[in-house]
Amino acid sequence: VFLTSLCSLTAWAAEREAPTVPANSAPVSGQEYYLYNVESQLFLSSYNTIGESPLRVPVTVNDEGAYLFQNGVSGNYIAADPNYGAVTTYSQMIDRNYWSVANGESGYTIQCSPLNKYYNETNFFGTLEGNTKVKYTCSSEDRIHWLFIPADESGERFVAELKLYRALNALDGWGF
């Protein structure tokens, strides 16, 4: 019986499929999202890092069409930091908080808005290969494509399924 169960688990592991990523939706002012980096398959997990646990990001669009992203924990605005192209947060409204969002084939790209004094048309919000730090100075060759997954029941289900999928895959090396 034990051997049969073990064989069934091993066969099930071979058939396991990754959860389906929810439909990418355009960010809407007043909504909260999980930002999912397409290339790394990780979430924005703090204001300046990616990881397996997502950060809720409230989104606001101002009258000029610039996006404002907030840290869902502190409420501070995610902003460009001139030190090493890093990303930081500020509690007050300043021009460094403004972002542009563009839909592309692989997902959305995020850049400093032209209203942001650090705007550069060739720089993107993303991460470098092998690094979990988020920068606003990534090139088009870096990990810069994001999905805006609504932080609602469907988004939370995807996060839970993805965590379970990754945990079960980690057990594969143990014979499961």
Side-chain angles (χ1 to χ4, degrees):
V1 173
F2 174 74
L3 202 49
T4 303
S5 297
L6 187 57
C7 289
S8 295
L9 279 173
T10 304
W12 178 70
E15 298 170 14
R16 190 177 313 127
E17 289 185 28
T20 303
V21 177
N24 188 21
S25 56
V28 175
S29 189
Q31 301 295 313
E32 290 187 342
Y33 297 90
Y34 300 127
L35 274 64
Y36 183 75
N37 185 267
V38 175
E39 291 88 357
S40 68
Q41 298 182 348
L42 296 170
F43 294 97
L44 182 68
S45 59
S46 74
Y47 67 88
N48 68 351
T49 59
I50 55 171
E52 292 187 11
S53 296
L55 173 71
R56 280 180 174 266
V57 178
V59 173
T60 306
V61 181
N62 73 8
D63 292 340
E64 291 86 19
Y67 287 81
L68 299 161
F69 302 125
Q70 288 178 276
N71 177 326
V73 176
S74 69
N76 289 342
Y77 295 97
I78 298 173
D81 184 342
N83 297 316
Y84 311 106
V87 175
T88 190
T89 60
Y90 288 99
S91 60
Q92 70 272 16
M93 289 295 304
I94 57 174
D95 66 341
R96 294 184 202 178
N97 302 348
Y98 298 127
W99 302 95
S100 293
V101 175
N103 194 3
E105 210 171 286
S106 301
Y108 287 89
T109 55
I110 302 169
Q111 294 178 281
C112 289
S113 161
L115 300 175
N116 185 319
K117 70 179 178 182
Y118 298 109
Y119 170 74
N120 180 323
E121 68 182 30
T122 63
N123 288 346
F124 297 89
F125 183 91
T127 65
L128 304 175
E129 184 68 36
N131 196 325
T132 60
K133 285 288 189 191
V134 176
K135 302 173 83 55
Y136 70 91
T137 55
C138 291
S139 77
S140 61
E141 302 299 316
D142 295 320
R143 301 183 307 182
I144 61 166
H145 297 98
W146 299 88
L147 301 181
F148 285 84
I149 298 173
D152 59 11
E153 188 176 315
S154 68
E156 289 172 10
R157 179 182 174 100
F158 171 68
V159 171
E161 288 175 351
L162 187 58
K163 285 182 179 183
L164 177 60
Y165 173 78
R166 288 175 174 163
L168 290 172
N169 280 346
L171 289 174
D172 283 348
W174 295 52
F176 290 99

